[in-house]
């Protein structure tokens, strides 16, 4: 399995995006965020997306240098149209505005519609906690045929719809960031590429049978669906994401009248909250620490906090490189080559 140097990889991906029209700072941000997903162990949201981003830019489904435009809201509430720019830049732009509004008002909210893929939602929670804010994000994805079956159903009718909550804590924040599907759809692709099964309880065949075979989603036969995590609970959260991130923002939900041929389209509702305006300090920080210590003392060294697995993966991958499966590396290098990047420059990222 190829091992890749993260810094060289950022430069390669940025060059690829520049070649399809992204200005250097935008290309650099998108590339850095995609590589960060791999560094944090979320391979579903890193390099395997690059050929698709390139293709979507070439098909003009992405407006590479678009920034979000505020189209509504007042005071501490804002509605943004992402004008189909790269989600990594749009998401950062509107989150920064939300943090500034929360600094002024204590609590701020935004709706974001019409943005290309926002990637790893934890990136926006990390921005919030770095400014001492709590960040809460609900996201829906209207991107081709919906992949997640409702609880009790057998066909895809919703997106993988992530929820993310960041809470400041010293030295490391809590970053809870997951898809409401049993696993992210990109992880099914990673398993399919690697010829590995997915965990039980994540997939159903088109006939409603439980399956661990990733080919249910990516093989030649009739397509099955992903299930929500936690039975009716995850389903309920996925549905709420459709409503908060799709209906409330004006971006649209996965119902059939919403166009789903515009690439990877995300809607997001964000809430930024300044804990200093609600809870007394240091009481809040001390109480957060106390409950975290309490739960971790259940099995010392065994109980992690949300955000810990990503920090561990990042430390390991910064030191040893990012492992990419052969299919992902093959697709990425073929795409770079097609864009005219010299073979030697592509291979230079390999450790
Ligand atoms: P996941 O199932 O790996 O869960 C990750 C979360 O669980 C993290 O907060 C992690 O810290 C926490 N966690 C994991 N193991 C833990 C443990 N032992 N103890 C405590 N906490 C633990 O994540 P996922 O559902 O595969 O999502 C992966 C990424 O995909 C996320 O960054 C998400 O935002 C992104 N995503 C994006 C979209 C989109 O449309 N933009 C859609 C779906 C998912």
């Amino acid at each position: 399995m190829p091992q890749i140097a993260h810094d060289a990889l950022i430069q390669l991906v940025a060059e690829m995006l520049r070649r399809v029209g992204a200005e250097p700072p935008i290309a650099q941000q998108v590339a850095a965020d995609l590589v960060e997903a791999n560094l944090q162990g979320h391979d579903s949201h890193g390099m395997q997306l690059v050929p698709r981003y390139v293709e979507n830019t070439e098909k003009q489904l992405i407006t590479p240098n678009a920034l979000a435009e505020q189209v509504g809201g007042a005071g501490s509430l804002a509605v943004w149209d992402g004008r189909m720019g790269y989600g990594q830049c749009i998401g950062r732009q509107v989150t920064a505005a939300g943090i500034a509004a929360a600094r002024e008002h204590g609590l701020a909210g935004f709706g974001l519609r019409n943005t290309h893929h926002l990637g790893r939602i934890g990136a926006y929670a990390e921005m919030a906690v770095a400014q001492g804010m709590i960040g809460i994000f609900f996201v829906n994805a209207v991107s081709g045929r919906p992949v997640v079956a409702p609880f009790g159903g057998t066909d895809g009718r919703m997106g993988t719809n992530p929820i993310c909550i960041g809470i400041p804590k010293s030295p490391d924040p809590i970053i809870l960031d997951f898809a409401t599907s049993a696993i992210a759809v990109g992880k099914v692709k990673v398993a399919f590429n690697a010829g590995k099964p997915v965990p039980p309880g994540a997939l159903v065949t088109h006939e409603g049978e439980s399956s661990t075979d990733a080919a249910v989603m990516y093989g030649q036969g009739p397509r099955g669906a992903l299930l929500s995590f936690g039975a009716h609970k995850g389903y309920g959260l996925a549905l709420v994401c459709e409503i908060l991130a799709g209906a409330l923002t004006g971006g649209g939900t996965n119902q059939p009248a919403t166009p789903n041929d515009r690439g990877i389209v995300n809607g997001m509702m964000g809430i930024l909250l300044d804990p200093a305006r609600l809870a007394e300090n240091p009481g809040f920080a001390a109480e957060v620490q106390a409950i975290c210590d309490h739960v971790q003392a259940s099995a010392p060294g065994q109980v992690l906090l949300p955000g810990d697995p990503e920090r561990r993966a990042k430390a390991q991958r910064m030191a040893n490189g990012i492992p990419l499966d052969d299919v992902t590396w093959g697709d990425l290098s073929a795409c770079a080559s097609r864009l005219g990047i010299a073979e030697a420059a592509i291979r230079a990222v390999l450790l």
Side-chain angles (χ1 to χ4, degrees):
M1 190 180 280
Q3 294 283 129
I4 319 276
H6 73 276
D7 39 6
L9 188 56
I10 293 174
Q11 299 320 322
L12 173 66
V13 174
E15 178 59 27
M16 292 170 73
L17 297 175
R18 280 197 292 275
R19 287 183 185 223
V20 288
E23 297 289 348
I26 289 187
Q28 194 71 21
Q29 184 66 65
V30 177
D33 279 358
L34 289 171
V35 171
E36 180 72 17
N38 287 105
L39 278 174
Q40 294 204 16
H42 292 296
D43 295 335
S44 54
H45 283 70
M47 292 307 101
Q48 74 160 6
L49 287 167
V50 173
R52 206 154 155 214
Y53 279 31
V54 165
E55 216 174 278
N56 285 352
T57 312
E58 289 171 328
K59 288 181 183 162
Q60 300 181 348
L61 295 170
I62 295 174
T63 312
N65 300 309
L67 287 181
E69 180 187 0
Q70 189 172 346
V71 292
S76 64
L77 287 176
V79 185
W80 296 91
D81 191 312
R83 298 161 68 215
M84 290 315 293
Y86 285 112
Q88 285 78 1
C89 297
I90 302 291
R92 285 180 179 276
Q93 181 194 349
V94 302
T95 301
I99 292 169
R103 179 89 57 224
E104 187 181 342
H105 299 282
L107 176 67
F110 67 79
L112 169 64
R113 62 191 184 215
N114 298 331
T115 181
H116 191 259
H117 194 228
L118 288 159
R120 187 182 63 87
I121 308 305
Y124 314 113
E126 286 161 6
M127 287 178 68
V129 298
Q131 301 287 322
M133 299 283 170
I134 291 174
I136 304 171
F137 304 90
F138 296 88
V139 175
N140 84 326
V142 181
S143 315
R145 255 174 71 185
V147 289
V148 178
F151 182 63
T154 57
D155 59 343
R157 291 183 182 242
M158 297 180 296
T160 55
N161 298 2
I163 292 176
C164 178
I165 300 175
I167 298 173
K169 177 181 161 302
S170 184
D172 295 318
I174 290 175
I175 304 285
L176 181 66
D177 174 26
F178 51 65
T180 48
S181 50
I183 57 173
V185 69
K187 287 187 173 150
V188 184
K189 184 78 191 296
V190 170
F192 181 71
N193 286 348
K196 291 184 179 162
V198 301
L203 292 176
V204 279
T205 67
H206 69 289
E207 289 170 322
E209 298 291 326
S210 180
S211 175
T212 57
D213 185 355
V216 160
M217 299 294 287
Y218 290 102
Q220 299 299 319
R223 196 165 118 156
L226 271 167
L227 293 170
S228 302
F229 79 88
H232 58 288
K233 302 182 187 186
Y235 155 59
L237 288 173
L239 183 64
V240 162
C241 282
E242 291 287 347
I243 294 165
L244 296 182
L248 195 57
T249 64
T253 66
N254 271 292
Q255 54 97 0
T258 304
N260 66 0
D261 56 355
R262 300 192 304 147
I264 318 174
V265 184
N266 277 146
M268 176 158 78
M269 193 193 79
I271 300 168
L272 285 309
L273 168 63
D274 183 354
R277 302 283 195 102
L278 205 60
E280 281 178 18
N281 252 329
F284 173 69
E287 197 65 28
V288 170
Q289 190 63 53
I291 183 61
C292 291
D293 289 347
H294 179 62
V295 297
Q296 292 200 284
S298 167
Q302 302 299 311
V303 177
L304 304 180
L305 296 175
D308 283 344
E310 287 74 15
R311 284 185 279 272
R312 287 184 176 183
K314 186 169 179 178
Q316 203 274 341
R317 289 181 170 199
M318 292 277 280
N320 303 322
I322 296 170
L324 284 190
D325 68 82
D326 291 332
V327 174
T328 302
W329 169 245
D331 290 349
L332 181 73
S333 47
C335 181
S337 185
R338 180 174 70 72
L339 293 171
I341 299 177
E343 214 53 38
I346 299 169
R347 296 197 67 78
V349 305
L350 294 170
L351 285 172

